[in-house]
Amino acid sequence: MKTFFTSESVTCGHPDKVCDQIADRILDSILKQDSNARVACEVTTVANKVHLMGEITTTADVDYEKIARDTIRDIGYIDKNSGFDANSCQIEIDIHEQSPDIAIGINRTEILDSGAGDQGMMFGFACDETDCLMPLPIMLAHRLSRRLEYVRKKKILPYLLPDGKSQVTVEYDDGIPTRVSTVIISSQHKEEVAIDDLRADIVRDVILNTLPKNMIDDDSTFFINPTGRFVIGGPAGDSGLTGRKIIVDTYGGYARHGGGAFSGKDPTKVDRSGAYIARYIAKNIVSAGLAKKCEVQLSYAIGLADPISILINTFGTQTIPCQDIINLVESSVDLRPAAIIKKFDLKKPIYSSVASYGHFGENASDKPWEQTDLAKQWTITV
């Protein structure tokens, strides 16, 4: 049976991603000085204005405004006539300390028994569709968005501007990806470029340069800037907010999501650390050949260390009994939040590099939650 699945990605200049990057750069800057900081930073953007808010408890001395401006500048918003630029945008800061009612559940004498920073459920996923064990549609969408940024910054297509999106529809035959059916790319651009030139350039230098040739055929359809003009973009064209691209950050809709965002949160927030360990478990299960597809759900309660529930779903693709897989996980992985932080060394400033183009898969290949050390251990065991 033929089915189709679609995922999207966005460039680093998308207004929501501008916010995520500012928030994670603030987090990293704080962690460089204070590894025990408590950070929950939210960012919003509108035309030529940025608002930083949230709860931060730290001994670190950081310049929030400078971090925000440097981030915006690095993304590429430097034209003072664009409606949003690093030098002239107004930056408002409303940050206070973490609630003591939350802190009391996290700060324990026995560090490994420190409780979760909030209640919630998190999902992790992996499948054997790609070498990085991510679903193919989101992997290809991220590649296209990254390529858009690359050809802009390298001036291969010098008329492109920072805001942009990609969308990829993959055709499946009995659950196996066989071809790319449709690609949609929308990229902000300078006013002087002709739309026909832009479309031809993006097909040549972005789509055909990026997608696997064996996945494209004569029936593959490309839509480039479907409405035509896309000159006003970024926060000047649409407001931005941290945590509004959680599906882009994870599995492109291919797996479920608990609803919690990542960026701007220190690792005591299980929205982040719980999702990372769930991906780690799922990836190692697939990497070990114990299943072709795996989804892991964890749930936590504020102030309690051990998870309230663990669910492992292999969608009938398991190669050993599911209970044996659960036993392997429970005997191999300490799921207490403080233990996750220790295992992955999550108090280091490692987050801004995954604030765009996904927290899992190719973009995070060097991160500890993407490693497959357990798979090697399990392969020997079973």
Side-chain angles (χ1 to χ4, degrees):
M1 182 180 70
K2 289 187 178 181
T3 57
F4 298 84
F5 194 87
T6 302
S7 293
E8 75 159 350
S9 177
V10 298
T11 65
C12 66
H14 185 281
D16 294 331
K17 275 294 151 199
V18 171
C19 297
D20 286 342
Q21 289 166 95
I22 293 172
D24 271 341
R25 284 211 195 180
I26 287 172
L27 173 63
D28 280 354
S29 296
I30 291 171
L31 291 177
K32 285 178 183 177
Q33 299 180 43
D34 179 10
S35 62
N36 293 313
R38 298 288 185 262
V39 181
C41 179
E42 304 293 349
V43 182
T44 63
T45 60
V46 292
N48 234 25
K49 184 175 181 180
V50 178
H51 188 188
L52 314 179
M53 61 192 133
E55 303 81 43
I56 297 178
T57 303
T58 183
T59 59
D61 182 15
V62 298
D63 187 336
Y64 298 121
E65 180 175 337
K66 183 178 186 302
I67 293 169
R69 293 193 190 280
D70 287 348
T71 304
I72 296 164
R73 186 175 297 109
D74 290 345
I75 290 169
Y77 287 111
I78 54 176
D79 183 354
K80 64 181 180 181
N81 297 314
S82 67
F84 183 80
D85 75 278
N87 294 322
S88 69
C89 68
Q90 178 185 348
I91 296 181
E92 186 176 348
I93 301 170
D94 288 307
I95 289 173
H96 56 276
E97 290 195 346
Q98 182 186 59
S99 163
D101 291 342
I102 296 175
I104 197 171
I106 303 171
N107 302 325
R108 298 280 176 80
T109 303
E110 174 51 54
I111 185 65
L112 288 180
D113 281 330
S114 296
D118 201 354
Q119 70 177 42
M121 68 283 192
M122 305 86 217
F123 288 92
F125 182 80
C127 63
D128 64 359
E129 289 183 11
T130 60
D131 290 342
C132 61
L133 304 186
M134 288 287 284
L136 182 62
I138 186 64
M139 188 189 81
L140 294 180
H142 282 321
R143 285 184 180 179
L144 289 169
S145 292
R146 289 197 76 126
R147 180 67 182 174
L148 270 180
E149 180 187 354
Y150 180 84
V151 299
R152 170 176 63 88
K153 288 189 171 181
K154 294 296 183 180
K155 301 191 183 302
I156 297 170
L157 301 181
Y159 54 78
L160 292 185
L161 294 172
D163 196 359
K165 287 184 174 184
S166 66
Q167 186 170 294
V168 178
T169 300
V170 172
E171 181 179 313
Y172 288 76
D173 193 351
D174 290 331
I176 306 298
T178 56
R179 58 184 290 273
V180 171
S181 170
T182 308
V183 174
I184 304 172
I185 289 184
S186 295
S187 183
Q188 185 188 14
H189 59 85
K190 294 179 181 178
E191 192 161 8
E192 62 266 22
V193 65
I195 187 63
D196 289 342
D197 292 339
L198 178 145
R199 286 170 174 162
D201 290 349
I202 286 181
V203 169
R204 181 189 66 244
D205 291 319
V206 177
I207 296 177
L208 297 182
N209 189 279
T210 302
L211 296 183
K213 290 180 174 56
N214 65 333
M215 297 293 290
I216 302 172
D217 57 29
D218 291 341
D219 293 324
S220 298
T221 305
F222 307 146
F223 296 99
I224 315 300
N225 284 28
T227 61
R229 177 186 171 93
F230 185 8
V231 173
I232 300 173
D238 192 9
S239 61
L241 175 66
T242 40
R244 206 158 55 180
K245 286 291 175 283
I246 57 176
I247 300 303
V248 172
D249 284 341
T250 53
Y251 308 104
Y254 200 97
R256 287 177 285 192
H257 196 294
F262 301 151
S263 291
K265 297 178 181 178
D266 76 80
T268 66
K269 280 70 172 175
V270 282
D271 281 342
R272 182 162 224 155
S273 52
Y276 288 172
I277 196 73
R279 160 66 176 172
Y280 174 76
I281 293 168
K283 185 174 183 180
N284 276 271
I285 287 171
V286 174
S287 180
L290 305 182
K292 295 174 68 63
K293 183 185 296 187
C294 182
E295 184 180 74
V296 175
Q297 187 201 45
L298 304 174
S299 70
Y300 289 88
I302 187 169
L304 300 183
D306 291 310
I308 301 302
S309 67
I310 306 169
L311 174 67
I312 297 177
N313 184 0
T314 56
F315 306 93
T317 68
Q318 68 276 5
T319 58
I320 65 173
C322 286
Q323 187 58 52
D324 291 350
I325 296 176
I326 293 171
N327 293 342
L328 280 173
V329 171
E330 290 181 339
S331 65
S332 306
V333 186
D334 190 338
L335 294 171
R336 293 176 294 175
I340 298 169
I341 292 169
K342 181 178 180 181
K343 178 178 178 62
F344 290 157
D345 206 4
L346 294 180
K347 292 185 177 183
K348 287 187 174 180
I350 59 173
Y351 300 106
S352 56
S353 64
V354 291
S356 291
Y357 309 117
H359 291 246
F360 310 121
E362 292 179 334
N363 190 50
S365 60
D366 63 336
K367 295 297 184 281
W369 56 87
E370 284 294 309
Q371 306 315 306
T372 54
D373 51 302
L374 275 183
K376 300 178 180 68
Q377 173 187 324
W378 290 342
T379 301
I380 296 171
T381 302
V382 299

